[in-house]
Amino acid sequence: MRLSCISNFGYTFVMNIESLLKKKNIKVTTARVALLKLLEAASKPVCYEEIKGRIAMDKATFYRNMITFEEAGILNAFESHSKMRYFELGHTPHAHFVCTACNGVECIESIDVQLPGYEIGTIVIHGRCRSCVEAGV
Amino acid sequence: MRLSCISNFGYTFVMNIESLLKKKNIKVTTARVALLKLLEAASKPVCYEEIKGRIAMDKATFYRNMITFEEAGILNAFESHSKMRYFELGHTPHAHFVCTACNGVECIESIDVQLPGYEIGTIVIHGRCRSCVEAGV
DNA sequence: GTTTTAAATGCAACCAAGTTGCATTTGTTA
DNA sequence: TAACAAATGCAACTTGGTTGCATTTAAAAC
């Protein structure tokens, strides 16, 4: 299994993912390495719909691994409008914008919300994104 | 129909709802008056689950009227975590907090988010609410 | 290197919030 | 009061996500 990963994604990268999983006591499997590789390469949060076209994987496996990653603290999840869950590797906390016109999802780094006494997880802003506003969609 | 409303909710209130609907060219029905009365009385956004225990109404009728009210601009909607849509009468724009521990929904008036070029609809903040943080839930 | 065993995967059946089609009822207008 | 368009209720459907279970796979023991 490791050999095929090496040929696909390069040695260094695989080692990082493997050591991350091992550090979190999560078994290293083909599916998990492929998922983390794809999430790492993505510049935006992704949903199962987007992933299934690029990795052959049952949705049960996908969602179960997302839960595993989330519980290990290496992944953030949120829901767009219309019931779809989006996932991204967890780095600096930031908000997300979901466009109700084009369904696009963007990371928003520029806002900072404080709510004393509350523990803030994810922030989702719905509306029309800049492109759709400009295009009058 | 109007008589029963009067006895239940009082004359003035019914007249306000009726005139609101007429102004928006929405037909005045028993279901709509009951829904708007309940939404007006609620201090928080409500979902179908909460409403069906208090008004006998098919869910198709409920959701269709929510769409009607939303399109008329008298209602705001957003989704909690776990796929449920919440509705509230549309007054001053504000954010909502959804607690992932107790599933409670709160209005947050104190934050103000600006995103130049974007058109912001609803803002949903997920996390643990003050009560749950204090209780260590 | 082989065996063992606990966990991960894939499949299919399931779940539930929300939607749709259609026959019946209700509100409005003539 | 009659006629018509719109609203309602019911039941069937849609769909993103979950669950149960038999099979496969990774990692530890030998």
Side-chain angles (χ1 to χ4, degrees), chain B residues 49-89:
Chain B
E49 191 69 20
E50 293 165 328
I51 274 182
K52 75 174 180 191
R54 304 170 63 187
I55 309 180
M57 178 180 300
D58 189 75
K59 58 180 176 173
T61 303
F62 173 80
Y63 287 114
R64 280 191 280 234
N65 277 321
M66 292 301 108
I67 291 168
T68 301
F69 294 158
E70 215 178 342
E71 284 173 351
I74 60 181
L75 191 86
N76 294 322
F78 64 92
E79 326 210 350
S80 76
H81 77 300
S82 285
K83 311 157 200 159
M84 259 189 298
R85 285 182 77 77
Y86 279 74
F87 304 89
E88 69 178 343
L89 289 191

Side-chain angles (χ1 to χ4, degrees), chain A residues 97-98 100 124-128, chain B residues 76-78 93-96 118-124:
Chain A
F97 191 92
V98 179
T100 50
V124 183
I125 306 168
H126 302 261
R128 278 160 67 229
Chain B
N76 294 322
F78 64 92
H94 58 273
H96 293 100
Y118 291 73
E119 184 187 282
I120 295 180
T122 66
I123 299 176
V124 183

